[in-house]
Amino acid sequence: MSSKKVYIYKAFERFWHWMQAILIFFLAFSGFEIHGIYSFFGYRDAVRYHNIAAYLFIGLIVFAIFWHLTTGEYKQYIPSFKNIKAQLDYYIFGIFRNAPHPTKKTVLSKLNPLQKLTYFGLKILVIPLSVSSGLLYMFYRYPTRLGIEAINIQTLEFIAVFHTIAAILLVLFLVTHLYLITTGDSVTSNLNAMLTGYEELDDGKYEEHAVASSKISIQNVE
Ligand code: HEM
């Protein structure tokens, strides 16, 4: 089957993806120093850098929410349980036998069912948990209009535990994600797509969507 190069990841999407990767990596690196696992920046600087990265991360999230809502791209992340088993079978068995990918990537459906479920979980559970526990960690005694007691939590322990659980889940996700990046049509095809925006998609699959989105740019691949 022939294939075409299709513009699948737009500029903001790639910017958001790489900024998010850098910030989460940096937040994890400085965070686990704060946790006491190693010493690199020194505790005080680790906290300072962690706070700066956290504000940048929140800013990025605000822009990303705006972009996803205004472009309708949020629909990519609505999970479906269809083909979940086929996708799991592929990652556990098929991939080691050179079996074909069970689901085809298209411009309007870039994520396989397992990705949809995982990213949805990250977006509505893990990242909100990380950000909200992080903000409570920062401001748990911050005076409010209602007086300091309004959010005067007696102990940081719970917050620290939730923040650390979210951090561990994010690191586990990063490690799995790095491995899965290599499981595209070639070892580097997914990485190239997120760098350049273009990915080779099977003929026929992209066409129906090319009609749907006049902005999709397609190049022939020999
Ligand atoms: C907007 C997001 C975030 C905010 C506001 C935030 C804020 C904070 C704050 C205030 C602390 C405590 C610093 C201190 O002891 O003075 C902390 C610790 C920590 N953060 Fe974050 N953080 C955020 C995101 C993240 C992310 C994404 C990760 C990891 C991927 C992470 C990992 C950690 C870890 C491991 C600790 C040490 C926890 C402990 O030992 O209690 N943070 N964070």
Side-chain angles (χ1 to χ4, degrees), residues 169-200:
L169 289 175
L170 280 169
V171 169
L172 286 177
F173 166 75
L174 271 190
V175 173
T176 319
H177 190 65
L178 283 177
Y179 162 64
L180 291 178
I181 283 172
T182 65
T183 63
D185 287 337
S186 76
V187 173
T188 53
S189 61
N190 284 337
L191 177 65
N192 282 338
M194 198 44 93
L195 285 170
T196 64
Y198 283 90
E199 174 150 7
E200 271 181 49

mmCIF file of all heavy atoms in Angstrom, residues 169-200:
data_model
loop_
_atom_site.group_PDB
_atom_site.id
_atom_site.type_symbol
_atom_site.label_atom_id
_atom_site.label_comp_id
_atom_site.label_asym_id
_atom_site.label_seq_id
_atom_site.Cartn_x
_atom_site.Cartn_y
_atom_site.Cartn_z
ATOM 1 N N LEU A 169 3.442 8.923 39.035
ATOM 2 C CA LEU A 169 2.630 8.513 37.871
ATOM 3 C C LEU A 169 3.121 9.216 36.604
ATOM 4 O O LEU A 169 3.210 8.609 35.531
ATOM 5 C CB LEU A 169 1.149 8.833 38.109
ATOM 6 C CG LEU A 169 0.451 7.966 39.156
ATOM 7 C CD1 LEU A 169 -0.973 8.457 39.399
ATOM 8 C CD2 LEU A 169 0.435 6.497 38.726
ATOM 9 N N LEU A 170 3.471 10.499 36.740
ATOM 10 C CA LEU A 170 3.945 11.238 35.562
ATOM 11 C C LEU A 170 5.292 10.694 35.071
ATOM 12 O O LEU A 170 5.519 10.583 33.864
ATOM 13 C CB LEU A 170 4.064 12.732 35.880
ATOM 14 C CG LEU A 170 2.740 13.490 35.829
ATOM 15 C CD1 LEU A 170 2.881 14.889 36.405
ATOM 16 C CD2 LEU A 170 2.221 13.586 34.384
ATOM 17 N N VAL A 171 6.157 10.314 36.007
ATOM 18 C CA VAL A 171 7.454 9.759 35.598
ATOM 19 C C VAL A 171 7.246 8.388 34.926
ATOM 20 O O VAL A 171 7.853 8.096 33.888
ATOM 21 C CB VAL A 171 8.417 9.648 36.803
ATOM 22 C CG1 VAL A 171 9.649 8.840 36.449
ATOM 23 C CG2 VAL A 171 8.813 11.042 37.274
ATOM 24 N N LEU A 172 6.338 7.573 35.498
ATOM 25 C CA LEU A 172 6.044 6.269 34.868
ATOM 26 C C LEU A 172 5.514 6.492 33.456
ATOM 27 O O LEU A 172 5.869 5.781 32.509
ATOM 28 C CB LEU A 172 5.005 5.488 35.683
ATOM 29 C CG LEU A 172 5.509 4.877 36.989
ATOM 30 C CD1 LEU A 172 4.367 4.186 37.727
ATOM 31 C CD2 LEU A 172 6.628 3.872 36.701
ATOM 32 N N PHE A 173 4.637 7.492 33.320
ATOM 33 C CA PHE A 173 4.107 7.795 31.997
ATOM 34 C C PHE A 173 5.247 8.193 31.044
ATOM 35 O O PHE A 173 5.315 7.702 29.918
ATOM 36 C CB PHE A 173 3.067 8.926 32.064
ATOM 37 C CG PHE A 173 2.764 9.488 30.709
ATOM 38 C CD1 PHE A 173 1.970 8.788 29.817
ATOM 39 C CD2 PHE A 173 3.330 10.685 30.294
ATOM 40 C CE1 PHE A 173 1.732 9.280 28.537
ATOM 41 C CE2 PHE A 173 3.100 11.181 29.022
ATOM 42 C CZ PHE A 173 2.297 10.474 28.137
ATOM 43 N N LEU A 174 6.140 9.064 31.515
ATOM 44 C CA LEU A 174 7.245 9.531 30.654
ATOM 45 C C LEU A 174 8.082 8.367 30.145
ATOM 46 O O LEU A 174 8.409 8.294 28.960
ATOM 47 C CB LEU A 174 8.165 10.476 31.441
ATOM 48 C CG LEU A 174 7.849 11.959 31.447
ATOM 49 C CD1 LEU A 174 9.006 12.735 32.061
ATOM 50 C CD2 LEU A 174 7.616 12.480 30.029
ATOM 51 N N VAL A 175 8.405 7.429 31.054
ATOM 52 C CA VAL A 175 9.254 6.288 30.675
ATOM 53 C C VAL A 175 8.527 5.424 29.630
ATOM 54 O O VAL A 175 9.096 5.069 28.593
ATOM 55 C CB VAL A 175 9.615 5.447 31.928
ATOM 56 C CG1 VAL A 175 10.351 4.176 31.540
ATOM 57 C CG2 VAL A 175 10.450 6.282 32.889
ATOM 58 N N THR A 176 7.247 5.123 29.889
ATOM 59 C CA THR A 176 6.480 4.300 28.940
ATOM 60 C C THR A 176 6.352 5.024 27.602
ATOM 61 O O THR A 176 6.489 4.418 26.533
ATOM 62 C CB THR A 176 5.048 4.041 29.491
ATOM 63 O OG1 THR A 176 5.146 3.773 30.873
ATOM 64 C CG2 THR A 176 4.374 2.895 28.796
ATOM 65 N N HIS A 177 6.106 6.317 27.691
ATOM 66 C CA HIS A 177 5.940 7.129 26.484
ATOM 67 C C HIS A 177 7.212 7.086 25.628
ATOM 68 O O HIS A 177 7.132 6.935 24.404
ATOM 69 C CB HIS A 177 5.631 8.564 26.922
ATOM 70 C CG HIS A 177 5.199 9.474 25.828
ATOM 71 N ND1 HIS A 177 4.031 9.314 25.131
ATOM 72 C CD2 HIS A 177 5.789 10.574 25.292
ATOM 73 C CE1 HIS A 177 3.917 10.271 24.235
ATOM 74 N NE2 HIS A 177 4.985 11.041 24.296
ATOM 75 N N LEU A 178 8.370 7.180 26.290
ATOM 76 C CA LEU A 178 9.635 7.161 25.547
ATOM 77 C C LEU A 178 9.789 5.839 24.797
ATOM 78 O O LEU A 178 10.236 5.805 23.651
ATOM 79 C CB LEU A 178 10.825 7.356 26.497
ATOM 80 C CG LEU A 178 11.036 8.793 26.967
ATOM 81 C CD1 LEU A 178 12.191 8.873 27.964
ATOM 82 C CD2 LEU A 178 11.314 9.714 25.784
ATOM 83 N N TYR A 179 9.400 4.738 25.443
ATOM 84 C CA TYR A 179 9.479 3.435 24.761
ATOM 85 C C TYR A 179 8.479 3.389 23.595
ATOM 86 O O TYR A 179 8.836 3.013 22.464
ATOM 87 C CB TYR A 179 9.217 2.297 25.757
ATOM 88 C CG TYR A 179 8.848 0.987 25.078
ATOM 89 C CD1 TYR A 179 9.766 0.327 24.243
ATOM 90 C CD2 TYR A 179 7.583 0.427 25.239
ATOM 91 C CE1 TYR A 179 9.415 -0.851 23.593
ATOM 92 C CE2 TYR A 179 7.233 -0.739 24.597
ATOM 93 C CZ TYR A 179 8.148 -1.377 23.768
ATOM 94 O OH TYR A 179 7.794 -2.526 23.126
ATOM 95 N N LEU A 180 7.247 3.819 23.852
ATOM 96 C CA LEU A 180 6.209 3.692 22.817
ATOM 97 C C LEU A 180 6.476 4.594 21.605
ATOM 98 O O LEU A 180 6.036 4.291 20.496
ATOM 99 C CB LEU A 180 4.819 3.973 23.410
ATOM 100 C CG LEU A 180 4.344 2.890 24.389
ATOM 101 C CD1 LEU A 180 2.991 3.241 24.972
ATOM 102 C CD2 LEU A 180 4.279 1.520 23.722
ATOM 103 N N ILE A 181 7.218 5.673 21.828
ATOM 104 C CA ILE A 181 7.593 6.545 20.703
ATOM 105 C C ILE A 181 8.307 5.732 19.622
ATOM 106 O O ILE A 181 8.161 5.984 18.430
ATOM 107 C CB ILE A 181 8.531 7.675 21.206
ATOM 108 C CG1 ILE A 181 7.736 8.745 21.916
ATOM 109 C CG2 ILE A 181 9.309 8.307 20.054
ATOM 110 C CD1 ILE A 181 8.627 9.777 22.609
ATOM 111 N N THR A 182 9.065 4.721 20.065
ATOM 112 C CA THR A 182 9.885 3.949 19.121
ATOM 113 C C THR A 182 9.085 2.869 18.393
ATOM 114 O O THR A 182 9.632 2.130 17.597
ATOM 115 C CB THR A 182 11.064 3.266 19.849
ATOM 116 O OG1 THR A 182 10.507 2.304 20.767
ATOM 117 C CG2 THR A 182 11.919 4.265 20.590
ATOM 118 N N THR A 183 7.781 2.746 18.706
ATOM 119 C CA THR A 183 7.024 1.626 18.143
ATOM 120 C C THR A 183 6.137 2.051 16.967
ATOM 121 O O THR A 183 5.147 1.393 16.668
ATOM 122 C CB THR A 183 6.140 0.944 19.223
ATOM 123 O OG1 THR A 183 5.170 1.910 19.674
ATOM 124 C CG2 THR A 183 6.954 0.454 20.393
ATOM 125 N N GLY A 184 6.470 3.153 16.316
ATOM 126 C CA GLY A 184 5.715 3.569 15.125
ATOM 127 C C GLY A 184 6.093 2.716 13.922
ATOM 128 O O GLY A 184 6.704 1.649 14.074
ATOM 129 N N ASP A 185 5.778 3.203 12.719
ATOM 130 C CA ASP A 185 6.096 2.431 11.513
ATOM 131 C C ASP A 185 7.598 2.183 11.414
ATOM 132 O O ASP A 185 8.041 1.159 10.929
ATOM 133 C CB ASP A 185 5.577 3.156 10.269
ATOM 134 C CG ASP A 185 4.057 3.040 10.204
ATOM 135 O OD1 ASP A 185 3.515 2.088 10.814
ATOM 136 O OD2 ASP A 185 3.412 3.900 9.575
ATOM 137 N N SER A 186 8.404 3.163 11.840
ATOM 138 C CA SER A 186 9.834 2.917 12.018
ATOM 139 C C SER A 186 10.191 3.458 13.399
ATOM 140 O O SER A 186 9.369 4.127 14.033
ATOM 141 C CB SER A 186 10.647 3.612 10.930
ATOM 142 O OG SER A 186 10.703 4.986 11.215
ATOM 143 N N VAL A 187 11.425 3.188 13.853
ATOM 144 C CA VAL A 187 11.804 3.581 15.220
ATOM 145 C C VAL A 187 11.681 5.098 15.418
ATOM 146 O O VAL A 187 11.337 5.577 16.499
ATOM 147 C CB VAL A 187 13.245 3.098 15.531
ATOM 148 C CG1 VAL A 187 13.734 3.639 16.867
ATOM 149 C CG2 VAL A 187 13.279 1.582 15.544
ATOM 150 N N THR A 188 11.940 5.861 14.342
ATOM 151 C CA THR A 188 11.940 7.322 14.510
ATOM 152 C C THR A 188 10.713 8.021 13.907
ATOM 153 O O THR A 188 10.632 9.247 13.968
ATOM 154 C CB THR A 188 13.205 7.924 13.848
ATOM 155 O OG1 THR A 188 13.252 7.457 12.502
ATOM 156 C CG2 THR A 188 14.465 7.558 14.592
ATOM 157 N N SER A 189 9.771 7.267 13.331
ATOM 158 C CA SER A 189 8.682 7.947 12.607
ATOM 159 C C SER A 189 7.815 8.819 13.529
ATOM 160 O O SER A 189 7.434 9.928 13.162
ATOM 161 C CB SER A 189 7.830 6.960 11.815
ATOM 162 O OG SER A 189 7.236 6.037 12.672
ATOM 163 N N ASN A 190 7.523 8.326 14.734
ATOM 164 C CA ASN A 190 6.694 9.128 15.651
ATOM 165 C C ASN A 190 7.450 10.375 16.110
ATOM 166 O O ASN A 190 6.872 11.457 16.209
ATOM 167 C CB ASN A 190 6.312 8.305 16.890
ATOM 168 C CG ASN A 190 5.207 7.306 16.580
ATOM 169 O OD1 ASN A 190 4.444 7.479 15.644
ATOM 170 N ND2 ASN A 190 5.136 6.236 17.357
ATOM 171 N N LEU A 191 8.754 10.191 16.396
ATOM 172 C CA LEU A 191 9.573 11.326 16.843
ATOM 173 C C LEU A 191 9.649 12.390 15.746
ATOM 174 O O LEU A 191 9.430 13.579 15.999
ATOM 175 C CB LEU A 191 10.981 10.829 17.201
ATOM 176 C CG LEU A 191 11.980 11.899 17.627
ATOM 177 C CD1 LEU A 191 11.554 12.544 18.939
ATOM 178 C CD2 LEU A 191 13.380 11.307 17.771
ATOM 179 N N ASN A 192 9.911 11.939 14.500
ATOM 180 C CA ASN A 192 9.974 12.876 13.374
ATOM 181 C C ASN A 192 8.669 13.626 13.209
ATOM 182 O O ASN A 192 8.658 14.822 12.918
ATOM 183 C CB ASN A 192 10.283 12.132 12.070
ATOM 184 C CG ASN A 192 11.756 11.803 11.992
ATOM 185 O OD1 ASN A 192 12.564 12.445 12.651
ATOM 186 N ND2 ASN A 192 12.114 10.799 11.214
ATOM 187 N N ALA A 193 7.554 12.903 13.369
ATOM 188 C CA ALA A 193 6.249 13.536 13.186
ATOM 189 C C ALA A 193 6.070 14.661 14.204
ATOM 190 O O ALA A 193 5.582 15.741 13.869
ATOM 191 C CB ALA A 193 5.139 12.504 13.336
ATOM 192 N N MET A 194 6.483 14.441 15.449
ATOM 193 C CA MET A 194 6.287 15.472 16.477
ATOM 194 C C MET A 194 7.302 16.610 16.306
ATOM 195 O O MET A 194 7.082 17.714 16.795
ATOM 196 C CB MET A 194 6.375 14.837 17.871
ATOM 197 C CG MET A 194 5.786 15.654 18.977
ATOM 198 S SD MET A 194 4.179 16.430 18.634
ATOM 199 C CE MET A 194 3.022 15.229 19.239
ATOM 200 N N LEU A 195 8.393 16.347 15.570
ATOM 201 C CA LEU A 195 9.361 17.419 15.309
ATOM 202 C C LEU A 195 8.946 18.255 14.099
ATOM 203 O O LEU A 195 8.995 19.486 14.121
ATOM 204 C CB LEU A 195 10.758 16.827 15.073
ATOM 205 C CG LEU A 195 11.491 16.317 16.321
ATOM 206 C CD1 LEU A 195 12.747 15.544 15.923
ATOM 207 C CD2 LEU A 195 11.871 17.472 17.238
ATOM 208 N N THR A 196 8.533 17.573 13.018
ATOM 209 C CA THR A 196 8.268 18.288 11.762
ATOM 210 C C THR A 196 6.783 18.566 11.536
ATOM 211 O O THR A 196 6.427 19.437 10.747
ATOM 212 C CB THR A 196 8.746 17.449 10.554
ATOM 213 O OG1 THR A 196 7.960 16.246 10.522
ATOM 214 C CG2 THR A 196 10.215 17.099 10.665
ATOM 215 N N GLY A 197 5.929 17.799 12.176
ATOM 216 C CA GLY A 197 4.488 17.929 11.957
ATOM 217 C C GLY A 197 3.971 16.927 10.931
ATOM 218 O O GLY A 197 2.802 16.612 10.903
ATOM 219 N N TYR A 198 4.898 16.417 10.090
ATOM 220 C CA TYR A 198 4.466 15.522 9.007
ATOM 221 C C TYR A 198 4.646 14.050 9.376
ATOM 222 O O TYR A 198 5.643 13.677 9.981
ATOM 223 C CB TYR A 198 5.284 15.776 7.742
ATOM 224 C CG TYR A 198 4.843 17.023 7.019
ATOM 225 C CD1 TYR A 198 5.421 18.248 7.311
ATOM 226 C CD2 TYR A 198 3.833 16.973 6.066
ATOM 227 C CE1 TYR A 198 5.006 19.408 6.663
ATOM 228 C CE2 TYR A 198 3.417 18.123 5.407
ATOM 229 C CZ TYR A 198 4.009 19.333 5.711
ATOM 230 O OH TYR A 198 3.589 20.463 5.074
ATOM 231 N N GLU A 199 3.670 13.238 8.958
ATOM 232 C CA GLU A 199 3.795 11.793 9.173
ATOM 233 C C GLU A 199 3.246 11.067 7.961
ATOM 234 O O GLU A 199 2.296 11.515 7.328
ATOM 235 C CB GLU A 199 3.025 11.386 10.429
ATOM 236 C CG GLU A 199 3.001 9.893 10.629
ATOM 237 C CD GLU A 199 2.941 9.479 12.090
ATOM 238 O OE1 GLU A 199 2.780 10.344 12.956
ATOM 239 O OE2 GLU A 199 3.051 8.269 12.335
ATOM 240 N N GLU A 200 3.869 9.917 7.655
ATOM 241 C CA GLU A 200 3.371 9.112 6.531
ATOM 242 C C GLU A 200 2.162 8.315 6.977
ATOM 243 O O GLU A 200 2.237 7.562 7.937
ATOM 244 C CB GLU A 200 4.460 8.139 6.076
ATOM 245 C CG GLU A 200 5.355 8.721 5.033
ATOM 246 C CD GLU A 200 6.421 7.741 4.581
ATOM 247 O OE1 GLU A 200 6.058 6.589 4.278
ATOM 248 O OE2 GLU A 200 7.588 8.138 4.553
#
